[in-house]
Amino acid sequence: MTQALIAKTKLADLVSFLALCGKVVGPVPLGHGQFKFAEVRSLAEMALDYIPTILPPKKYFMPQYETLLRYDGADGQQMQAVVEVEELVLFGVHTCDLAGIQCLNVVFSDRPRDLHYMIRKNHITLIGLECSDYCDSYASCAMLRNHLPKGGYDLFFSELSDGYFVDIKTQKGEQLVEESGLFEPVSDAAREQLQELRRAKKQIFRSEVPIRYQDIPRLFDETFDSDVWTRIGEKCLSCGNCTNVCPTCYCFDVMDEPDLDLTRGRRIRVWDSCQHETFAKVAGDESFREQRSDRKRHRFNRKFRYPMKRYKRMFCTGCGRCSRSCMAKIDLKETLGALMEERG
Protein backbone atom coordinates (compact mmCIF):
# COMPACT_ATOMS: atom_id res chain seq x y z
CA MET A 1 0.00 0.00 0.00
CA THR A 2 1.37 3.42 -0.91
CA GLN A 3 -1.67 5.55 -0.11
CA ALA A 4 -4.46 5.42 2.44
CA LEU A 5 -7.27 7.43 3.99
CA ILE A 6 -8.05 8.21 7.59
CA ALA A 7 -11.28 9.83 8.73
CA LYS A 8 -11.03 13.03 10.77
CA THR A 9 -13.01 11.31 13.49
CA LYS A 10 -10.20 8.77 13.83
CA LEU A 11 -7.30 11.23 14.02
CA ALA A 12 -7.51 11.48 17.81
CA ASP A 13 -7.41 7.69 18.02
CA LEU A 14 -4.28 7.68 15.86
CA VAL A 15 -2.47 10.13 18.15
CA SER A 16 -3.52 8.10 21.20
CA PHE A 17 -2.25 4.94 19.49
CA LEU A 18 1.10 6.59 18.74
CA ALA A 19 1.38 7.88 22.31
CA LEU A 20 0.85 4.34 23.64
CA CYS A 21 3.74 3.13 21.45
CA GLY A 22 6.20 5.85 22.46
CA LYS A 23 6.95 9.55 22.61
CA VAL A 24 4.91 11.79 20.29
CA VAL A 25 5.84 15.39 19.52
CA GLY A 26 3.53 17.85 17.77
CA PRO A 27 2.84 21.57 17.32
CA VAL A 28 1.56 23.05 20.58
CA PRO A 29 0.21 26.60 21.10
CA LEU A 30 2.20 28.86 23.42
CA GLY A 31 -0.11 31.85 23.37
CA HIS A 32 0.40 35.23 21.63
CA GLY A 33 0.28 33.44 18.26
CA GLN A 34 3.40 31.39 18.97
CA PHE A 35 3.87 27.62 18.71
CA LYS A 36 6.48 25.04 19.60
CA PHE A 37 7.07 21.35 19.03
CA ALA A 38 6.55 19.56 22.34
CA GLU A 39 5.53 16.16 23.66
CA VAL A 40 1.81 15.43 23.50
CA ARG A 41 -0.42 12.60 24.63
CA SER A 42 -3.54 13.51 22.66
CA LEU A 43 -4.73 15.35 19.57
CA ALA A 44 -6.46 17.95 21.76
CA GLU A 45 -3.08 19.23 22.96
CA MET A 46 -1.98 20.07 19.42
CA ALA A 47 -2.81 22.93 17.04
CA LEU A 48 -2.56 21.60 13.50
CA ASP A 49 -3.34 25.03 12.02
CA TYR A 50 -0.13 26.74 13.07
CA ILE A 51 2.52 29.14 11.85
CA PRO A 52 6.10 27.80 11.96
CA THR A 53 7.12 26.93 15.49
CA ILE A 54 9.68 29.15 17.25
CA LEU A 55 12.34 26.45 16.90
CA PRO A 56 12.19 24.04 13.97
CA PRO A 57 12.20 20.23 14.35
CA LYS A 58 16.01 20.25 13.92
CA LYS A 59 16.22 20.39 17.73
CA TYR A 60 15.25 16.70 17.79
CA PHE A 61 17.81 15.72 15.17
CA MET A 62 20.60 17.99 16.41
CA PRO A 63 19.98 19.01 20.04
CA GLN A 64 21.21 22.42 21.19
CA TYR A 65 23.40 20.65 23.78
CA GLU A 66 24.54 17.12 22.97
CA THR A 67 27.00 14.82 24.75
CA LEU A 68 29.33 13.22 22.21
CA LEU A 69 31.50 11.22 24.62
CA ARG A 70 32.58 10.81 28.21
CA TYR A 71 36.25 10.68 29.14
CA ASP A 72 38.10 9.33 32.15
CA GLY A 73 41.77 10.14 32.69
CA ALA A 74 42.07 8.55 36.14
CA ASP A 75 43.64 5.37 34.76
CA GLY A 76 45.06 6.26 31.40
CA GLN A 77 43.06 8.12 28.79
CA GLN A 78 39.73 6.40 28.26
CA MET A 79 36.90 7.68 26.12
CA GLN A 80 33.41 6.26 25.63
CA ALA A 81 31.18 7.48 22.81
CA VAL A 82 27.67 8.50 23.91
CA VAL A 83 24.58 8.66 21.71
CA GLU A 84 21.56 10.01 23.56
CA VAL A 85 18.61 8.74 21.55
CA GLU A 86 14.95 7.83 22.00
CA GLU A 87 12.15 6.59 19.75
CA LEU A 88 10.12 9.56 18.64
CA VAL A 89 7.20 10.39 16.34
CA LEU A 90 7.15 13.92 14.96
CA PHE A 91 3.53 14.69 14.04
CA GLY A 92 2.23 17.48 11.79
CA VAL A 93 5.48 18.67 10.22
CA HIS A 94 4.94 21.17 7.39
CA THR A 95 6.66 20.85 4.02
CA CYS A 96 9.08 23.71 4.73
CA ASP A 97 10.37 21.90 7.83
CA LEU A 98 10.52 18.58 5.99
CA ALA A 99 12.73 20.33 3.45
CA GLY A 100 14.91 21.59 6.29
CA ILE A 101 15.37 18.08 7.66
CA GLN A 102 16.29 16.87 4.17
CA CYS A 103 19.02 19.53 4.04
CA LEU A 104 20.41 18.38 7.39
CA ASN A 105 20.31 14.76 6.18
CA VAL A 106 22.44 15.72 3.19
CA VAL A 107 25.00 17.59 5.28
CA PHE A 108 25.39 15.04 8.07
CA SER A 109 25.56 12.06 5.70
CA ASP A 110 28.32 13.79 3.72
CA ARG A 111 31.90 12.74 4.44
CA PRO A 112 32.81 12.50 7.22
CA ARG A 113 29.40 11.10 8.22
CA ASP A 114 28.06 12.32 11.55
CA LEU A 115 27.13 9.07 13.29
CA HIS A 116 25.41 10.79 16.21
CA TYR A 117 23.02 12.50 13.82
CA MET A 118 22.52 9.43 11.63
CA ILE A 119 21.72 7.14 14.56
CA ARG A 120 19.27 9.62 16.07
CA LYS A 121 17.60 10.19 12.69
CA ASN A 122 16.83 6.49 12.35
CA HIS A 123 14.84 6.58 15.60
CA ILE A 124 12.53 9.39 14.47
CA THR A 125 9.30 8.80 12.54
CA LEU A 126 8.14 11.78 10.50
CA ILE A 127 4.45 12.47 9.82
CA GLY A 128 4.01 15.49 7.56
CA LEU A 129 0.98 17.75 7.18
CA GLU A 130 0.19 19.74 4.03
CA CYS A 131 -0.53 23.49 4.18
CA SER A 132 -3.48 24.58 2.09
CA ASP A 133 -2.75 28.31 2.53
CA TYR A 134 0.04 30.63 3.68
CA CYS A 135 0.83 30.59 7.38
CA ASP A 136 1.61 34.35 7.37
CA SER A 137 3.23 37.07 5.27
CA TYR A 138 6.81 36.09 6.19
CA ALA A 139 6.65 32.79 4.29
CA SER A 140 8.39 32.41 0.94
CA CYS A 141 7.92 28.68 0.47
CA ALA A 142 6.64 28.99 -3.10
CA MET A 143 9.76 30.85 -4.21
CA LEU A 144 11.83 27.98 -2.81
CA ARG A 145 9.41 25.32 -4.18
CA ASN A 146 8.70 23.96 -0.72
CA HIS A 147 4.94 24.53 -0.57
CA LEU A 148 4.40 21.04 -2.00
CA PRO A 149 5.57 17.72 -0.50
CA LYS A 150 8.86 16.47 -1.88
CA GLY A 151 9.49 13.40 0.27
CA GLY A 152 11.51 13.20 3.45
CA TYR A 153 8.64 11.74 5.52
CA ASP A 154 7.27 8.37 6.54
CA LEU A 155 3.63 9.47 6.22
CA PHE A 156 2.19 12.66 4.77
CA PHE A 157 -1.34 13.91 5.52
CA SER A 158 -3.35 16.17 3.17
CA GLU A 159 -6.64 17.42 4.56
CA LEU A 160 -9.82 16.60 2.61
CA SER A 161 -13.42 17.44 3.47
CA ASP A 162 -13.96 14.65 5.98
CA GLY A 163 -10.59 12.97 6.27
CA TYR A 164 -6.93 12.99 5.35
CA PHE A 165 -5.30 11.61 2.24
CA VAL A 166 -2.19 9.79 3.44
CA ASP A 167 0.90 9.25 1.31
CA ILE A 168 2.93 6.31 2.62
CA LYS A 169 6.59 6.77 1.81
CA THR A 170 8.51 4.21 3.88
CA GLN A 171 8.24 0.72 5.31
CA LYS A 172 8.09 2.29 8.76
CA GLY A 173 5.08 4.32 7.65
CA GLU A 174 3.38 1.29 6.12
CA GLN A 175 3.89 -0.67 9.33
CA LEU A 176 2.33 2.14 11.36
CA VAL A 177 -0.72 2.21 9.07
CA GLU A 178 -1.20 -1.55 9.33
CA GLU A 179 -0.68 -1.84 13.09
CA SER A 180 -3.00 1.05 14.00
CA GLY A 181 -5.96 -0.44 12.09
CA LEU A 182 -7.40 3.07 11.63
CA PHE A 183 -6.81 3.59 7.91
CA GLU A 184 -8.84 2.57 4.88
CA PRO A 185 -8.18 2.24 1.14
CA VAL A 186 -8.17 5.36 -1.03
CA SER A 187 -11.31 6.07 -3.04
CA ASP A 188 -11.56 7.79 -6.43
CA ALA A 189 -13.44 10.65 -4.76
CA ALA A 190 -10.54 11.18 -2.36
CA ARG A 191 -8.03 11.29 -5.22
CA GLU A 192 -10.16 13.90 -6.97
CA GLN A 193 -10.31 15.98 -3.77
CA LEU A 194 -6.52 15.85 -3.48
CA GLN A 195 -6.12 17.00 -7.07
CA GLU A 196 -8.55 19.85 -6.39
CA LEU A 197 -6.50 20.83 -3.33
CA ARG A 198 -3.32 20.97 -5.41
CA ARG A 199 -5.08 22.97 -8.16
CA ALA A 200 -6.25 25.49 -5.57
CA LYS A 201 -2.72 25.78 -4.19
CA LYS A 202 -1.42 26.75 -7.62
CA GLN A 203 -3.60 29.83 -7.42
CA ILE A 204 -2.68 30.61 -3.81
CA PHE A 205 1.06 29.95 -3.75
CA ARG A 206 2.98 32.16 -6.16
CA SER A 207 6.67 33.08 -6.01
CA GLU A 208 6.76 35.72 -3.29
CA VAL A 209 9.69 37.54 -4.91
CA PRO A 210 9.72 38.19 -8.69
CA ILE A 211 12.70 35.97 -9.45
CA ARG A 212 12.98 32.46 -10.87
CA TYR A 213 14.31 29.76 -8.55
CA GLN A 214 17.21 28.90 -10.84
CA ASP A 215 18.28 32.57 -11.05
CA ILE A 216 18.66 33.12 -7.29
CA PRO A 217 22.26 31.83 -6.94
CA ARG A 218 23.39 34.10 -9.77
CA LEU A 219 21.77 37.07 -8.03
CA PHE A 220 24.00 36.51 -5.00
CA ASP A 221 27.03 35.94 -7.19
CA GLU A 222 26.51 39.24 -8.98
CA THR A 223 25.75 41.26 -5.82
CA PHE A 224 28.60 40.02 -3.64
CA ASP A 225 29.97 43.58 -3.31
CA SER A 226 26.55 45.23 -3.07
CA ASP A 227 25.91 48.17 -0.74
CA VAL A 228 22.88 46.22 0.52
CA TRP A 229 25.21 44.20 2.76
CA THR A 230 26.61 47.38 4.30
CA ARG A 231 23.11 48.66 5.08
CA ILE A 232 22.05 45.32 6.56
CA GLY A 233 25.26 45.14 8.57
CA GLU A 234 24.45 48.51 10.14
CA LYS A 235 21.10 47.14 11.33
CA CYS A 236 22.17 43.63 12.38
CA LEU A 237 22.64 43.05 16.13
CA SER A 238 24.67 39.82 15.69
CA CYS A 239 22.33 38.16 18.19
CA GLY A 240 22.22 34.88 16.26
CA ASN A 241 18.42 34.63 16.37
CA CYS A 242 18.27 33.97 12.62
CA THR A 243 20.60 30.96 12.84
CA ASN A 244 19.02 29.51 15.97
CA VAL A 245 15.55 29.41 14.41
CA CYS A 246 16.71 28.38 10.93
CA PRO A 247 15.74 24.76 10.09
CA THR A 248 18.95 24.23 8.08
CA CYS A 249 21.65 26.05 10.09
CA TYR A 250 23.90 23.39 11.58
CA CYS A 251 27.10 25.15 12.72
CA PHE A 252 28.30 23.97 16.11
CA ASP A 253 31.13 24.19 18.59
CA VAL A 254 32.69 21.29 20.52
CA MET A 255 34.03 21.72 24.03
CA ASP A 256 34.99 19.67 27.09
CA GLU A 257 33.13 19.96 30.38
CA PRO A 258 35.36 18.49 33.13
CA ASP A 259 34.00 17.17 36.42
CA LEU A 260 35.23 18.73 39.68
CA ASP A 261 38.04 16.16 39.94
CA LEU A 262 39.36 17.43 36.58
CA THR A 263 40.11 13.86 35.43
CA ARG A 264 36.64 12.92 34.20
CA GLY A 265 34.11 14.78 32.15
CA ARG A 266 32.21 14.91 28.92
CA ARG A 267 32.68 16.36 25.45
CA ILE A 268 29.65 18.25 24.22
CA ARG A 269 28.41 19.74 20.99
CA VAL A 270 26.51 23.05 21.19
CA TRP A 271 24.88 25.19 18.52
CA ASP A 272 27.01 28.04 17.27
CA SER A 273 26.32 30.86 14.84
CA CYS A 274 28.20 32.41 11.94
CA GLN A 275 26.63 35.70 13.04
CA HIS A 276 28.68 35.77 16.24
CA GLU A 277 31.93 37.71 16.08
CA THR A 278 33.90 34.85 17.64
CA PHE A 279 32.78 32.27 15.08
CA ALA A 280 35.27 33.20 12.35
CA LYS A 281 38.07 34.27 14.71
CA VAL A 282 41.32 32.27 14.49
CA ALA A 283 44.75 32.29 16.15
CA GLY A 284 46.42 35.68 16.34
CA ASP A 285 43.01 37.28 16.97
CA GLU A 286 42.39 37.43 13.23
CA SER A 287 38.86 37.10 11.84
CA PHE A 288 37.68 36.02 8.41
CA ARG A 289 34.49 38.04 8.80
CA GLU A 290 35.10 40.82 11.27
CA GLN A 291 32.32 43.12 10.07
CA ARG A 292 28.64 42.41 10.65
CA SER A 293 27.98 43.09 6.99
CA ASP A 294 30.46 40.33 6.07
CA ARG A 295 28.77 37.89 8.43
CA LYS A 296 25.30 38.73 7.14
CA ARG A 297 26.39 38.34 3.52
CA HIS A 298 28.01 35.04 4.41
CA ARG A 299 24.78 33.69 5.91
CA PHE A 300 22.67 34.64 2.89
CA ASN A 301 25.22 33.05 0.56
CA ARG A 302 25.19 29.92 2.72
CA LYS A 303 21.45 29.68 2.10
CA PHE A 304 21.17 30.54 -1.61
CA ARG A 305 24.51 30.16 -3.37
CA TYR A 306 27.20 27.99 -1.77
CA PRO A 307 25.06 24.85 -1.18
CA MET A 308 23.90 24.90 -4.80
CA LYS A 309 27.49 24.25 -5.84
CA ARG A 310 28.03 21.43 -3.35
CA TYR A 311 24.59 19.84 -2.89
CA LYS A 312 22.52 21.15 -5.84
CA ARG A 313 19.89 22.56 -3.48
CA MET A 314 19.25 25.76 -1.57
CA PHE A 315 19.36 25.76 2.19
CA CYS A 316 16.54 28.26 2.66
CA THR A 317 13.17 26.54 3.04
CA GLY A 318 11.01 29.67 2.93
CA CYS A 319 9.64 29.12 6.44
CA GLY A 320 10.14 32.80 7.31
CA ARG A 321 11.49 32.18 10.81
CA CYS A 322 14.59 34.39 10.34
CA SER A 323 12.47 37.40 9.34
CA ARG A 324 9.82 36.66 11.96
CA SER A 325 12.33 36.53 14.81
CA CYS A 326 14.80 39.25 13.76
CA MET A 327 15.00 41.97 16.40
CA ALA A 328 16.48 44.36 13.80
CA LYS A 329 13.58 43.70 11.39
CA ILE A 330 15.84 42.38 8.64
CA ASP A 331 13.45 40.72 6.21
CA LEU A 332 14.57 38.03 3.79
CA LYS A 333 12.17 38.97 1.01
CA GLU A 334 13.02 42.66 1.36
CA THR A 335 16.72 41.82 1.16
CA LEU A 336 16.22 39.83 -2.02
CA GLY A 337 14.19 42.71 -3.46
CA ALA A 338 16.89 45.24 -2.58
CA LEU A 339 19.57 43.10 -4.23
CA MET A 340 17.45 42.77 -7.37
CA GLU A 341 16.79 46.49 -7.44
CA GLU A 342 20.46 47.39 -7.05
CA ARG A 343 21.54 44.89 -9.70
CA GLY A 344 18.97 46.31 -12.08
Side-chain angles (χ1 to χ4, degrees), residues 5 16 27 93 154 169 181 235 244 263 270 298 305 313 323:
L5 281 176
S16 299
V93 183
D154 297 289
K169 196 57 109 180
K235 293 174 63 178
N244 284 336
T263 58
V270 298
H298 175 73
R305 182 177 166 219
R313 66 186 307 155
S323 304

Side-chain angles (χ1 to χ4, degrees), residues 170-314:
T170 66
Q171 186 175 357
K172 191 194 293 186
E174 186 172 352
Q175 185 176 346
L176 192 156
V177 167
E178 292 176 355
E179 290 180 353
S180 69
L182 296 168
F183 295 79
E184 56 190 271
V186 173
S187 63
D188 291 340
R191 287 196 178 90
E192 176 55 34
Q193 280 195 49
L194 180 65
Q195 291 176 5
E196 178 57 36
L197 170 66
R198 299 285 165 77
R199 283 193 290 268
K201 287 183 68 170
K202 282 186 178 179
Q203 302 303 316
I204 296 170
F205 290 87
R206 303 290 182 91
S207 183
E208 298 81 5
V209 178
I211 186 171
R212 296 190 306 170
Y213 176 87
Q214 60 268 33
D215 293 336
I216 297 176
R218 187 156 54 89
L219 171 68
F220 283 88
D221 187 26
E222 294 174 351
T223 56
F224 193 80
D225 296 319
S226 168
D227 290 338
V228 170
W229 304 120
T230 304
R231 297 200 295 272
I232 289 179
E234 291 170 350
K235 293 174 63 178
C236 179
L237 302 174
S238 289
C239 63
N241 266 5
C242 54
T243 56
N244 284 336
V245 302
C246 178
T248 70
C249 278
Y250 56 87
C251 289
F252 58 83
D253 194 5
V254 175
M255 59 187 72
D256 286 350
E257 280 190 348
D259 294 340
L260 290 177
D261 63 7
L262 300 181
T263 58
R264 302 176 181 83
R266 62 174 188 152
R267 181 162 297 169
I268 63 170
R269 167 159 59 187
V270 298
W271 290 0
D272 204 346
S273 172
C274 62
Q275 299 306 291
H276 293 161
E277 187 178 4
T278 54
F279 185 81
K281 192 168 278 188
V282 295
D285 209 29
E286 298 292 333
S287 175
F288 293 109
R289 291 179 289 277
E290 189 174 1
Q291 302 300 318
R292 292 179 180 179
S293 56
D294 295 337
R295 300 197 289 272
K296 210 66 192 171
R297 177 177 61 188
H298 175 73
R299 181 169 189 274
F300 273 83
N301 276 272
R302 285 292 302 270
K303 298 294 131 182
F304 296 104
R305 182 177 166 219
Y306 302 152
M308 284 296 283
K309 294 180 179 178
R310 186 175 178 87
Y311 299 117
K312 307 299 182 189
R313 66 186 307 155
M314 293 186 203

Side-chain angles (χ1 to χ4, degrees), residues 41-61:
R41 300 292 299 174
S42 68
L43 179 66
E45 298 174 64
M46 288 193 276
L48 296 184
D49 184 12
Y50 68 100
I51 67 168
T53 50
I54 295 174
L55 287 180
K58 78 173 179 183
K59 64 181 182 179
Y60 296 105
F61 292 80

